[in-house]
Every structure is written in C-alpha cells, then in structure tokens.
Amino acid sequence: NAGPLAAPLAPVGPPRRVAAHTHTLASDLFVLSLFVGSLVGIGTVRSHDMSWFRVNTGLSLVQLAGAIAVLVQYYRGGVGRAMQKVAIAALVLVGVMFYAQTFAYSFANAAKAFAPNGTAIPMPMPFVMLHQVTGGVELLLAFIGAAIILRGGYRREPDIIKD
C-alpha cells in the first residue's frame, strides 16, 4: 500500500481586491467639521469677541466627537486605516488647539477686565501664530480626509465562494 493519495494542490492566487468602505456618515461629518473648524478658526484668529472663542471651542468638541466616532468605525471595520490615521492626528491637533484656545480665552478675559473703557487689547503674537498654524494643519487634515473619501480604497478579502 502506497499510503493516502495526495491530491495535487491547486495554485492559489492572491486574494481578490474588493472595494472597502472608505467613508461612513461619521467620517463624512468628521471631515466636514475639520473644514468648518479650520475656516472659522483662521477667519476669527484676531477677533476679540468672546462668542468666537465659544464657537471655536464648540467646533473643537465636535471634532473630538467625530474623531472618536471614526476610531470606533475603524475598529468595527467601517473605514480604512488611512481615515483612522487622520482621526488620530486630529485628536492630537484638537488637544493642542484646545490648550491654545484656553490660554487665549483666559488672556482675552483678563485683558478685557483691565482695559480702560472697553479698549481692545490685541492678542499676543505667539497665540495668533499658534492659532494660525493649527488652523492650517487642520485644513490640511480636512483635505487629506476628503481625498481619502473621494479616492476610495481596497482591502483584501478571501474569496470564499468561487465563481
């Protein structure tokens, strides 16, 4: 007896590439919040009105929630790794922006309290520059996120049912 008959193995090619989800509603709203936040932040960088500080803080919180939602979607398989990386970078950026906005808001409140007759005291240049840089990076992340959404993506899946 020669032993069990070994069947020849069929050559196995690379798995087929099928279109993956490149975006969900959460990722779309997240990228939109990055665009809106960066444009509002850059547009109001020299504003002395306290309501703009509150608007920027609110937009930062929306971006934070959006980034967390994208991370949850990533772990559930809803979005790709590239969008996850944008969300992580945005979380770091939101932390820096929130820190800078808190100091700028505190400075503006203190300056308003000591200003004679409501005279506007200009924001110190380091705050303005930090705000402009974070706004620019935020806009760059928004463009990267939009490119990821528009580009589409692929993932490798095993072909369970052969045609």
Side-chain angles (χ1 to χ4, degrees):
N1 208 341
L5 183 61
L9 295 175
V12 178
R16 284 187 345 180
R17 293 173 59 128
V18 291
H21 296 290
T22 56
H23 62 96
T24 60
L25 179 61
S27 65
D28 292 348
L29 293 176
F30 168 63
V31 171
L32 179 65
S33 73
L34 287 174
F35 272 117
V36 171
S38 66
L39 295 176
V40 169
I42 291 171
T44 62
V45 71
R46 295 190 185 272
S47 175
H48 298 290
D49 189 11
M50 289 299 135
S51 62
W52 285 115
F53 285 108
R54 291 183 185 103
V55 168
N56 284 326
T57 301
L59 288 170
S60 293
L61 293 175
V62 168
Q63 291 168 6
L64 178 68
I68 292 170
V70 167
L71 291 176
V72 169
Q73 290 289 317
Y74 171 74
Y75 287 112
R76 290 184 179 173
V79 295
R81 187 158 181 81
M83 189 60 76
Q84 178 217 20
K85 289 181 180 182
V86 171
I88 290 171
L91 284 173
V92 171
L93 185 65
V94 165
V96 170
M97 285 175 37
F98 195 73
Y99 185 71
Q101 286 174 0
T102 303
F103 274 111
Y105 183 71
S106 299
F107 177 82
N109 271 340
K112 184 178 175 184
F114 291 110
N117 299 330
T119 306
I121 297 177
M123 194 67 64
M125 195 53 144
F127 288 133
V128 172
M129 287 178 53
L130 180 62
H131 203 80
Q132 289 172 336
V133 167
T134 56
V137 172
E138 186 178 18
L139 189 60
L140 178 66
L141 284 176
F143 278 121
I144 291 171
I148 291 168
I149 288 172
L150 296 175
R151 169 185 58 93
Y154 293 92
R155 66 176 176 212
R156 294 192 179 270
E157 286 187 355
D159 191 11
I160 297 172
I161 301 174
K162 303 248 182 208
D163 293 328

